[in-house]
Amino acid sequence: MSFLKGKTALVTGSTSGIGLGVALTLARQGASVVLNGFGDAEGPKSEVAAAGRAHGAKVGYHGADMSKPAEIEAMMAYAAAEFGGVDVLVNNAGIQHVANVEDFPAAKWDAIIAINLSSAFHTTRLAIPSMRAKGWGRIINIASTHGLVASAGKSAYVAAKHGIVGFTKAVALETATTGITVNAICPGWVLTPLVQKQIDDRATRDGIPVAQAEKDLLGEKQPSLQFTTPEQLGELAVFLCSDAAKNVKGQAWAMDGGWTAQ
Ligand code: NAD
């Protein structure tokens, strides 16, 4: 299958975790991919290049900091110059910080809102003109179950994720009569570095082994007692890119082992 051959996907925060899983899955469908994120970029670049090689897909990387609008503008200019624009935009970069609101560091609040929410505004406003001109586009916002329900200790994250679900709906309406779709994916627990830190913190807090902390974390929220994988989320993104999904607009689609069914 290579139905994304000739298209370019830009996935923010794709040097790790869910973003990397989505980038790999899109490359397997033939999409050229622009990666973004901190840390080692060479490893992810060669993995994604290998995934798309059979289709002749190109891979690029831009290290823009998603909390800085000027750097986001530079990244979108790079994608336009090197790849002819972005056809599939996956707003995925995100961070977490857990503390009750009265103890929440103000700088962490600002960073979470900037990276998890405002960055999607900047990439989207810059991507839409060329999507409109081409008459086709897919915007996929990686929100969270925390875009639909809340947990204590995560006020900034929950605010940002509820915000991105609302943003998704508004932009879906603005583009409803075009070939652009805008949707959110709402994962429950996925075992990535972002969640591993919460498991490790829990083990320390409760004085229990990490394996037990992992079981407790799942048992508290996710009825399937299984993590969703980045690849499964990638396959949902592939579906949203397909023709079959062209009338799916403004949805927040959970893949959460039953978390939000409760
Ligand atoms: P992760 O920590 O594995 O990956 C985060 C990625 O974002 C990394 O590539 C990192 O370099 C990048 N990043 C962080 N700050 C950045 C910045 N300022 N500029 C550019 N890139 C930056 O985390 P993950 O679990 O894969 O999370 C990815 C997304 O999925 C986030 O939006 C997160 O909120 C969401 N999510 C995760 C889970 C989960 O259980 N892991 C569940 C629901 C939603």
Side-chain angles (χ1 to χ4, degrees):
M1 280 276 289
S2 57
F3 78 98
L4 291 176
K5 200 175 162 125
K7 308 272 197 232
T8 295
L10 184 151
V11 186
T12 69
S14 45
T15 48
S16 165
I18 295 170
L20 179 55
V22 171
L24 284 165
T25 318
L26 295 175
R28 280 186 208 116
Q29 297 295 334
S32 288
V33 176
V34 179
L35 296 168
N36 158 261
F38 295 152
D40 168 50
E42 288 312 310
K45 258 178 92 173
S46 49
E47 270 186 77
V48 176
R53 189 160 296 131
H55 310 296
K58 272 181 25 173
V59 181
Y61 167 79
H62 195 284
D65 180 338
M66 288 299 109
S67 69
K68 304 207 163 97
E71 294 190 21
I72 296 172
E73 285 177 17
M75 176 181 75
M76 298 304 283
Y78 161 81
E82 299 293 323
F83 290 80
V86 175
D87 305 295
V88 178
L89 170 64
V90 183
N91 289 307
N92 165 80
I95 58 167
Q96 177 62 286
H97 184 80
V98 182
N100 283 345
V101 69
E102 65 272 32
D103 303 320
F104 214 91
K108 280 282 180 204
W109 171 279
D110 288 344
I112 288 176
I113 299 299
I115 296 164
N116 298 18
L117 176 59
S118 302
S119 71
F121 159 67
H122 293 293
T123 53
T124 300
R125 72 180 168 80
L126 295 164
I128 283 204
S130 88
M131 290 180 176
R132 278 193 194 276
K134 291 181 189 173
W136 194 94
R138 294 290 186 266
I139 299 178
I140 300 171
N141 295 321
I142 306 299
S144 167
T145 49
H146 287 114
L148 304 170
V149 295
S151 295
K154 297 186 174 175
S155 57
Y157 189 85
V158 168
K161 295 300 186 181
H162 275 66
I164 204 160
V165 168
F167 178 70
T168 300
K169 293 178 187 175
V171 182
L173 294 179
E174 290 176 18
T175 53
T177 59
T178 74
I180 302 169
T181 74
V182 189
N183 291 288
I185 291 178
C186 298
W189 292 125
V190 185
L191 192 53
T192 66
L194 183 143
V195 166
Q196 189 62 51
K197 181 176 182 309
Q198 294 175 61
I199 294 169
D200 295 345
D201 289 350
R202 197 181 180 110
T204 309
R205 185 195 69 193
D206 298 347
I208 54 175
V210 169
Q212 186 59 46
E214 191 175 301
K215 272 195 181 153
D216 291 354
L217 177 113
L218 283 170
E220 191 177 83
K221 301 277 186 187
Q222 194 142 302
S224 67
L225 303 180
Q226 286 177 14
F227 290 104
T228 296
T229 67
E231 290 70 24
Q232 288 164 345
L233 294 164
E235 292 297 343
L236 179 52
V238 165
F239 169 68
L240 290 172
C241 289
S242 73
D243 264 0
K246 72 179 182 189
N247 212 25
V248 179
K249 297 199 176 214
Q251 292 305 302
W253 196 315
M255 194 187 268
D256 64 2
W259 180 329
T260 54
Q262 298 169 99

